[in-house]
Amino acid sequence: MLRTQETLLDKFWEVNVKASILILQDAAPHLRKGSSVVFISSISAYRPPLSMGMYGVTKTALLGLTKALAVEMSPNTRVNAVVPGVIPTNFADHLIKDESARKAAEKATLLDRLGTTEEIAAAAAFLASDEASDITGEILVVAGGMPSRL
């Protein structure tokens, strides 16, 4: 992290944290009672990888933002976060295409497989739904049992 270029530091912060705050500043006056906000963090929030440490740190910041905004936006709006594990997407392409890296990622889970975008969407949809009406300020890890403690 100490060698991360300032432009990358700014980009990670702006995309992962600052944008979330700015969007909610604009949206909050329009949210009705019973509204829900769901942030998408990353398993990297719990163990930032050496190659992308600052990315992981900003995803950790989203966990703190979830807790703080749950207090600030209550009782009218619930705020939660989903923490995906390694999911085959364009962003994780470097892990998915390299066979040994993919196998290592799979072995890091208790389920011995990678999750899917559909599983992450289902978790977010649940947290946004009326079925989760008594859940706020929580972090839902959807990572096949990968370690997820700060």
Side-chain angles (χ1 to χ4, degrees), residues 57-71:
V57 168
T58 59
K59 291 299 192 171
T60 306
L62 277 180
L63 304 182
L65 186 62
T66 298
K67 299 290 188 178
L69 286 176
V71 172

Side-chain angles (χ1 to χ4, degrees), residues 48-87:
L50 184 60
S51 62
M52 293 182 50
M54 204 54 214
Y55 169 80
V57 168
T58 59
K59 291 299 192 171
T60 306
L62 277 180
L63 304 182
L65 186 62
T66 298
K67 299 290 188 178
L69 286 176
V71 172
E72 183 175 331
M73 298 182 80
S74 68
N76 295 328
T77 300
R78 296 177 295 109
V79 182
N80 295 291
V82 173
V83 176
V86 178
I87 306 295

Side-chain angles (χ1 to χ4, degrees), residues 7-95:
T7 55
L8 278 179
L9 294 174
D10 291 342
K11 181 177 181 176
F12 286 135
W13 178 260
E14 288 177 11
V15 169
N16 292 329
V17 182
K18 186 177 177 181
S20 298
I21 295 167
L22 292 176
I23 289 168
L24 277 178
Q25 284 176 342
D26 286 346
H30 307 285
L31 297 177
R32 294 176 284 164
K33 186 168 179 60
S35 295
S36 176
V37 172
V38 180
F39 291 117
I40 305 296
S41 183
S42 168
I43 198 67
S44 296
Y46 294 103
R47 270 195 314 179
L50 184 60
S51 62
M52 293 182 50
M54 204 54 214
Y55 169 80
V57 168
T58 59
K59 291 299 192 171
T60 306
L62 277 180
L63 304 182
L65 186 62
T66 298
K67 299 290 188 178
L69 286 176
V71 172
E72 183 175 331
M73 298 182 80
S74 68
N76 295 328
T77 300
R78 296 177 295 109
V79 182
N80 295 291
V82 173
V83 176
V86 178
I87 306 295
T89 63
N90 289 340
F91 185 76
D93 208 33
H94 64 286
L95 284 176

